């Protein structure tokens, strides 16, 4: 019986966008299990708590693959150490542009140095999502622009609600 091939898809997912979902869907074609891993980064001030981000990932990905093939989890510290603990053979990253490539390149090399048995698999962003980032979606929504088609249906209303609360607490 072959062992199941597990990939980790790490990121901030603050919030999950349709670009992320597209990558998760494509990764399930390559791996038996995909663990979407929300990085708990004490240096960043996220809009959503890590638990909220995990919940949105689980809800948005529920229909993509058979139960158990996509999981969501939290992690902190070294990515390759987390990946090894999960028994993963690969880390998935998305490339939208040359800037993403330049950002990933040293991390891929360092991770290969630390854990040569874990491969980083970079998937090119789909054309229709290559302009999409969590940061831009938040900016567009904060200025009243339409985010339809940019984020999953469960994410949109929560994002608008959270931005409203933020504005109220700031004023
Ligand atoms: P990070 O802080 O690790 O960049 P993000 O949540 O912004 O976290 O992104 C997680 C991963 O998803 C990264 O590899 C990023 O390049 C990729 N990604 C983000 N947006 C898109 C998109 N629109 N299409 C494809 N990949 C994307």
């Amino acid at each position: 019986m072959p062992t199941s091939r597990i990939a980790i898809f790490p990121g901030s997912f603050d919030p999950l966008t349709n670009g992320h979902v597209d990558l998760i869907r494509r990764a399930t074609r390559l791996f038996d299990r995909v663990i979407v891993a929300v990085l708990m980064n004490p240096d960043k001030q996220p809009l959503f708590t890590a638990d909220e981000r995990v919940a949105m990932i689980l809800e948005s990905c529920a229909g993509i693959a058979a139960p158990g093939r996509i999981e969501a989890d939290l992690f902190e510290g070294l990515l390759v150490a987390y990946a090894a603990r999960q028994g993963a053979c690969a880390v998935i990253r998305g490339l939208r542009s040359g800037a993403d490539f330049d950002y990933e390149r040293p991390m891929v090399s360092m991770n290969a140095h630390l854990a040569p048995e874990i491969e980083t698999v970079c998937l090119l962003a789909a054309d229709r999502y290559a302009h999409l980032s969590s940061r831009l979606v938040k900016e567009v929504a904060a200025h009243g622009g339409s985010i339809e088609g940019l984020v999953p249906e469960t994410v949109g209303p929560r994002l608008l609600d959270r931005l409203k609360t933020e504005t109220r607490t700031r004023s």
Side-chain angles (χ1 to χ4, degrees):
M1 184 82 173
T3 52
S4 72
R5 301 183 74 77
I6 302 168
I8 307 293
F9 180 34
S12 309
F13 307 107
D14 187 40
L16 185 76
T17 70
N18 284 341
H20 294 129
V21 174
D22 184 58
L23 234 64
I24 295 166
R25 182 181 293 114
R26 288 161 60 198
T28 60
R29 296 193 199 125
L30 302 174
F31 297 94
D32 300 308
R33 274 172 62 208
V34 176
I35 302 174
V36 185
V38 175
L39 172 65
M40 294 190 285
N41 183 348
D43 300 334
K44 279 193 183 174
Q45 286 257 303
L47 190 58
F48 292 98
T49 67
D51 286 331
E52 288 173 327
R53 284 176 273 160
V54 165
M56 286 189 277
I57 292 165
L58 287 175
E59 281 176 33
S60 306
C61 294
I64 293 181
R69 291 200 54 214
I70 302 172
E71 291 166 34
D73 192 16
L74 308 172
F75 82 104
E76 55 189 340
L78 269 188
L79 171 63
V80 286
Y82 171 76
R85 284 199 299 280
Q86 295 297 327
C89 62
V91 166
I92 305 282
R93 295 291 287 170
L95 298 182
R96 286 160 293 186
S97 63
D100 275 352
F101 177 84
D102 291 341
Y103 177 77
E104 294 299 333
R105 176 74 260 191
M107 292 209 293
V108 171
S109 302
M110 180 54 79
N111 286 340
H113 168 77
L114 296 171
E117 69 286 1
I118 297 174
E119 198 64 54
T120 300
V121 175
C122 291
L123 299 177
L124 287 192
D127 282 349
R128 65 185 183 288
Y129 298 130
H131 60 293
L132 199 51
S133 67
S134 300
R135 186 185 59 78
L136 261 183
V137 166
K138 284 184 280 196
E139 252 176 64
V140 168
H143 291 96
S146 168
I147 52 166
E148 208 186 318
L150 304 183
V151 292
E153 277 174 18
T154 54
V155 172
R158 290 190 206 198
L159 176 56
L160 298 178
D161 267 6
R162 181 57 50 89
L163 288 169
K164 258 188 236 150
T165 320
E166 289 264 302
T167 319
R168 253 186 264 126
T169 45
R170 249 187 271 125
S171 56

